[in-house]
Amino acid sequence: QVQLVESGGGLVQAGGSLRLSCAASARTFSSYAMAWFRQAPGKEREFVATISRSGGTTYYADSVKGRFTISRDNAKNTVYLQMNSLKPEDTAVYSCAAVPTRSTAPYGSTWYGAYDYWGQGTQVTVSS
């Protein structure tokens, strides 16, 4: 069983930055691909970014590419999402997710159903 706890959300003006963190309880955190998803009110959950077990490869949704950066520190069992140049349309609850993957996998899936473990989420609100 893996527990994920997000932090770092808040209210920020458009153009500002936030860094989200997701702390994992997994004893073998480096065996999991990690991802961030978001869900705005009245909308479906949306893939944001994913990162491989080692952190060597990443993949982003087109809507955040060039503005967001996913990273991880396996020594601290933590994955991060650095969000720059935030826009009002980035407003959502952001959740991290984990799935065990083989060592050769480039990164996790963009499909939320592929993930076994989820955090409770953290609210990000971007004002215009």
Side-chain angles (χ1 to χ4, degrees):
Q1 189 73 12
V2 177
Q3 292 185 328
L4 303 173
V5 179
E6 301 95 338
S7 62
L11 174 64
V12 63
Q13 288 188 333
S17 299
L18 282 174
R19 188 176 83 153
L20 306 183
S21 299
C22 172
S25 66
R27 291 168 58 185
T28 56
F29 179 67
S30 60
S31 298
Y32 294 81
M34 302 295 295
W36 287 94
F37 287 78
R38 66 187 182 185
Q39 188 165 20
K43 295 187 177 181
E44 294 186 351
R45 186 163 13 189
E46 176 189 18
F47 166 77
V48 176
T50 181
I51 190 167
S52 63
R53 291 169 36 154
S54 68
T57 54
T58 58
Y59 185 78
Y60 298 90
D62 288 342
S63 59
V64 306
K65 199 174 297 182
R67 300 188 298 123
F68 291 11
T69 302
I70 188 171
S71 62
R72 66 190 295 164
D73 185 339
N74 285 344
K76 295 182 178 180
N77 280 20
T78 302
V79 63
Y80 304 97
L81 186 68
Q82 177 66 44
M83 305 186 295
N84 299 329
S85 302
L86 283 161
K87 305 175 181 179
E89 51 263 43
D90 294 319
T91 295
V93 174
Y94 285 71
S95 299
C96 64
V99 61
T101 59
R102 64 185 188 279
S103 61
T104 55
Y107 37 66
S109 172
T110 61
W111 178 51
Y112 70 88
Y115 291 85
D116 295 334
Y117 304 101
W118 291 84
Q120 293 297 313
T122 185
Q123 176 70 45
V124 171
T125 303
V126 184
S127 63
S128 57

